[in-house]
Amino acid sequence: MTTFVLVHGAWGGSYGFRAVRGPLRAAGHDVFTPSLTGIGERVHLASPQVNLTTHVTDVVNTVLYEDLSDIVLLGYSYGGMVVTGSLEYVADRVAHLVYLDAFLPADGQSLNDLTGAGYGTSGIGLGGEWLVPPMARNFDDAAEADWHFARRSPHPVGCFTQPVRLRQPLEEYPFTRTYIKATADARTPEDDRRHPFWQAADRTKTDPAWRYREIDTDHLIPVKRPAELAELLLELT
């Protein structure tokens, strides 16, 4: 039995993996999908104080309090920032680290640094803005779009401005590493210069320290290709 810990992306929640959990559990594996503070079903806990450290703690505490070991730790999209930061505390419990169309930061980089988005650094003070509205997403089915849009919530800005801490390069850790790229997202010259997911794909696809895989859909892999994602995760473990 493999234990999967799947970390969702920005503006989302653990519900984003609802179609992935079933196939993994049906194959005999254990699956945890921790919810990040201030978004998803924990939206009632949103505050200007929520930052990347808060979300790292959400994941680390799931692993430690459940006493999980030899885990497959997956970060989806913004979740790549979170799983990277969690290594300081639970690297010895990770057997396989997976980035699913995700940010792949180095030590000291924030999401702001990787995207150039320029999100504000503080929500404290009169009129301070501390919530970032959800980005637009394209769903194939109108009913599914309505279901997800009803659940997507603004994201505390501190998560995007706080830098990650990584004690050593990812390639120096003893666990296995995989990057999975959504290839249906159009690639443009601007993407080559700035898009962090394509840059991560370029970095990992030719590096023998990494496994590299692709799924032919857009960024919404857990929603649009859940069965294919589950099959790929089972193949990698």
Side-chain angles (χ1 to χ4, degrees), residues 28-50:
H29 304 294
D30 211 353
V31 185
F32 292 82
T33 52
S35 297
L36 304 180
T37 299
I39 52 178
E41 60 268 45
R42 304 187 74 197
V43 66
H44 58 291
L45 300 176
S47 78
Q49 287 72 43
V50 172

Side-chain angles (χ1 to χ4, degrees), residues 7-8 10 48 63 89 91 93 133 141 167 175 183 203 226 228 232:
V7 181
H8 63 82
V63 173
Y89 308 97
R93 294 171 178 258
D141 178 81
R167 290 185 178 272
F175 48 67
T183 56
R203 167 184 164 184
E228 188 174 345
L232 178 54

Side-chain angles (χ1 to χ4, degrees), residues 143-219:
E144 188 170 53
D146 290 342
W147 192 93
H148 280 273
F149 287 150
R151 289 160 175 79
R152 285 169 62 78
S153 53
H155 199 112
V157 70
C159 304
F160 299 158
T161 59
Q162 185 183 19
V164 74
R165 294 303 172 201
L166 184 64
R167 290 185 178 272
Q168 62 192 43
L170 287 170
E171 293 78 9
E172 294 182 8
Y173 285 91
F175 48 67
T176 307
R177 292 155 294 274
T178 297
Y179 195 90
I180 303 172
K181 182 72 184 79
T183 56
D185 287 325
R187 183 169 190 168
T188 67
E190 182 67 17
D191 288 333
D192 289 342
R193 291 192 297 273
R194 291 188 56 188
H195 199 294
F197 300 162
W198 281 117
Q199 290 176 356
D202 289 342
R203 167 184 164 184
T204 57
K205 66 168 48 176
T206 58
D207 188 335
W210 287 82
R211 298 179 185 181
Y212 175 79
R213 299 292 189 273
E214 296 177 343
I215 295 181
D216 185 18
T217 188
D218 64 20
H219 183 60

